[in-house]
Amino acid sequence: MTSFGDLLGPPPTLLTGDDDAESDLLNGADPAAVAAQYPSASIAWAYLAEAALQGAEAADSPEGPDRARQMAGYAYARTGYHRGLDQLRRHGWKGYGPVPWSHEPNRGFLRCVGALARAAQLIGEEDEYLRCLDLLNDSDPRAIAELGLD
């Protein structure tokens, strides 16, 4: 039995990642500079999306929610999501099948999907929020919990 339980389904897709972008981010480089230098690296877009969304949900603040940050987070997450889809397809993914959270290079894409879900929910785009949760669940049910979306 595989770790994903479906012997007849497609094998897990394992991205190769972008070592240079990941290294720069881990060494404290500005995520915007990393995204500009390595625009296909979903992990850089995930950093940008998560930073933009951090605190943007504060609907109980006197000013209300920060719509500009919510929309920036949405845009960053959507960019990283699409760049990740491109990478997945280049690695043989057909639009379905496991994309394991346990494989570190997959996390940039999965984090972008999680940030897109969070941003979609914040702006009231419920259908997109649910699609993102479905994609995460189909990719790896563990990802939802790891991203704090459960």
Side-chain angles (χ1 to χ4, degrees):
M1 169 109 64
T2 67
S3 63
F4 286 87
D6 186 355
L7 295 174
L8 300 177
T13 302
L14 306 176
L15 296 175
T16 52
D18 191 320
D19 293 339
D20 293 332
E22 292 169 17
S23 176
D24 287 354
L25 290 164
L26 290 173
N27 287 312
D30 174 24
V34 175
Q37 186 171 2
Y38 307 102
S40 65
S42 289
I43 191 65
W45 296 104
Y47 271 70
L48 288 167
E50 292 163 353
L53 293 172
Q54 192 172 38
E57 34 320 292
D60 58 348
S61 75
E63 299 84 32
D66 187 338
R67 290 288 184 213
R69 288 182 68 183
Q70 290 174 351
M71 296 312 297
Y74 185 94
Y76 290 138
R78 181 157 292 288
T79 300
Y81 160 79
H82 281 287
R83 298 314 289 259
L85 288 178
D86 293 343
Q87 291 173 355
L88 286 167
R89 289 181 187 116
R90 282 194 302 273
H91 283 81
W93 189 72
K94 304 290 187 216
Y96 60 91
V99 181
W101 174 266
S102 60
H103 183 67
E104 185 77 30
N106 289 350
R107 291 186 187 175
F109 168 73
L110 296 170
R111 284 173 58 183
C112 283
V113 177
L116 184 58
R118 196 170 271 112
Q121 187 177 42
L122 287 172
I123 66 172
E125 195 178 358
E126 193 66 19
D127 289 344
E128 179 77 351
Y129 169 71
L130 295 173
R131 278 192 298 274
C132 290
L133 291 183
D134 286 345
L135 177 56
L136 287 170
N137 192 51
D138 291 346
S139 296
D140 185 345
R142 179 178 161 204
I144 290 175
E146 292 288 342
L147 294 166
L149 293 168
D150 53 352

